[in-house]
Structure formats: C-alpha cells, structure tokens
C-alpha cells in the first residue's frame, strides 16, 4: 500500500508508484486530503485543482488501471487488518502530523491504521518524512517509529550519483524507499558499480 500525506514530495510517490507497478506488485493507494492537495500542486502545478481529481489523475498517470484507490476513511480496505498480510506499507511523503499520529498510535485514518497494523504484525512499514529543520518533538516521534520497527527513509537526495536532473534526484530517494520496502529494483547504479 502506498499512502500519501500532506508533506512536500509527491514526485517521490509518483516514482515509487511507477516502480511498484513495474515490479508487478498489487498496489492500493490512499491519500489524505492534504496529500491530495500536495499532489495537485506539485504534480500538476495547480493549487486550485480539485484534490480528488488530482489523485485520480495521479494514479492514472503513474499507476494505471490496476491500481486501486481507497478513501482515507475506508476501514474495510485490506490494509486495515493484520489478517490481510500486506507485504509493505509505504507512507510517502509523510507529514510530521502523520509521523506524530502513527508514533502516538492514533489510528484515525486508513493510512495511520495501515501503518499501525504493519507495526503490530511485525511487517514492513516505510515512512518517508520531509520537514526541515526538525524539532525535538519531530525527532522523538521518528525515533519512536524506528524503535517500533518502521524503516525511516527521509526524503534526502544525495549527490554522489551525479544527478543531471530533478528526475535523477527523485530516483535516488525512490530507490531507497523501494529497497526499504523489500522491492529489488535498481533506479540508480549501486555505489561502486559506476
Ligand atoms: C503545499 C503544502 C506543503 C506542505 N509540506 C509539508 C512538509 O513538507 N512537511 C510537513 O510535515 N507538513 C507539510 N505540510 C503541512 C501538512 O500538510 C499538514 O500538517 C497536514 O495537516 C498534514 O495532514 P496529513 O498528515 O493528514 O496529510 C504542507 C502543506 C501543504 C499545503
């Protein structure tokens, strides 16, 4: 499952979704309202775009017809229960509000519930925070998630792969996310392979 929340970084989610489809994964997408707003702005340059329409277009552009979209209030989705054995939940981008909710065990939308399910079941949860600078509260919440079993993969592109475009920088982060989710798909050359 790919969850999008209202932090900057929708292009990372777009790339991750494309790669998951390429890897043949069965994917469900859930986006918070703020997440849909960020998609409208960062993927389509339109702050005034209808957030639901933005998500629909995002999934059509980067996922395709096999990707299922779930409402953030849809607790009948498989991700809401440990019995469904979801391989990985990726929250990308992950706002500090969602980091705090997940760290506090507040399961008030499907994204937070799905994250909590992965932690209680000992399955993969990948959280991709994006905020700077960070407060002590942000750091404590991230530490809590890490200690509870999540992989914390900050949206921090490196430069040692010599990016020539924004797409190359996006690929750097997307590559780390996929690796943490257990998806073996190389978007950039491994260190030492060049
Ligand atoms: C365009 C835009 C960019 C934002 N960027 C960030 C960000 O990078 N990190 C963050 O923690 N919050 C960011 N926010 C604030 C969150 O969207 C806000 O805290 C929201 O309540 C998060 O809710 P959610 O976690 O349910 O999506 C941004 C909001 C907007 C509208």
């Amino acid at each position: 499952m790919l969850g999008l929340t209202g932090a900057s970084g929708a292009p990372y989610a777009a790339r991750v979704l494309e790669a998951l489809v390429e890897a043949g994964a069965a994917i469900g997408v859930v986006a918070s309202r703020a997440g849909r707003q960020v998609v409208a702005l960062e993927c389509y340059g339109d702050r005034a775009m209808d957030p639901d329409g933005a998500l629909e277009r995002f999934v059509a552009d980067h996922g395709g017809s096999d990707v299922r979209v779930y409402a953030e209030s849809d607790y009948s989705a498989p991700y809401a229960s440990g019995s469904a054995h979801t391989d990985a939940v990726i929250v990308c981008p992950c706002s500090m509000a969602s980091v705090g909710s997940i760290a506090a065990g507040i399961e008030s939308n499907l994204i937070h519930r799905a994250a909590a399910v992965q932690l209680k079941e000992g399955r993969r949860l990948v959280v991709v925070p994006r905020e700077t600078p960070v407060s002590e509260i942000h750091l404590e919440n991230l530490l809590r998630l890490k200690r509870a079993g999540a992989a914390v993969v900050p949206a921090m592109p490196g430069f040692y792969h010599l990016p020539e475009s924004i797409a190359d920088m996006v690929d750097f982060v997307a590559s780390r996310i996929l690796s943490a989710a257990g998806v073996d798909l190389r978007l950039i050359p491994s260190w030492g392979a060049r």
Side-chain angles (χ1 to χ4, degrees):
M1 188 203 98
L2 175 62
L4 290 89
T5 68
S8 182
Y12 298 120
R15 193 67 182 108
V16 166
L17 181 56
E18 288 169 2
L20 290 172
V21 169
E22 195 183 324
I27 312 148
V29 168
V30 190
S32 66
R33 180 163 176 84
R36 299 193 294 277
Q37 285 171 338
V38 172
V39 166
L41 176 64
E42 296 185 340
C43 296
Y44 302 110
D46 187 354
R47 204 181 281 270
M49 190 176 184
D50 164 52
D52 293 340
L55 181 66
E56 215 172 281
R57 187 168 155 197
F58 173 88
V59 170
D61 288 350
H62 303 285
S65 53
D66 288 342
V67 174
R68 184 153 172 201
V69 177
Y70 294 87
E72 59 181 317
S73 57
D74 186 358
Y75 294 102
S76 66
Y79 316 112
S81 168
S83 62
H85 293 267
T86 303
D87 290 334
V89 166
I90 301 170
V91 187
C92 170
C94 192
S95 71
M96 286 302 158
S98 279
V99 164
S101 292
I102 299 166
I106 299 169
E107 305 173 16
S108 55
N109 70 26
L110 178 57
I111 300 170
H112 304 162
R113 169 65 187 166
V117 166
Q118 294 301 100
L119 294 179
K120 85 183 174 75
E121 299 292 338
R123 300 197 187 111
R124 285 181 204 264
L125 169 64
V126 182
V127 169
V128 184
R130 209 258 24 131
E131 185 55 282
T132 192
V134 284
S135 69
E136 190 170 332
I137 292 169
H138 295 149
L139 290 169
E140 280 178 351
N141 285 335
L142 289 167
L143 180 60
R144 216 159 173 208
L145 288 184
K146 176 69 187 167
R147 285 185 172 155
V152 177
V153 183
M156 286 182 187
F159 292 89
Y160 56 79
H161 68 311
L162 308 179
E164 291 174 356
S165 63
I166 291 176
D168 288 346
M169 294 169 71
V170 169
D171 275 357
F172 180 98
V173 175
S175 197
R176 293 307 180 96
I177 296 166
L178 292 167
S179 170
V183 179
D184 189 20
L185 200 68
R186 300 249 175 282
L187 302 181
I188 60 165
S190 304
W191 179 249
R194 235 178 228 251

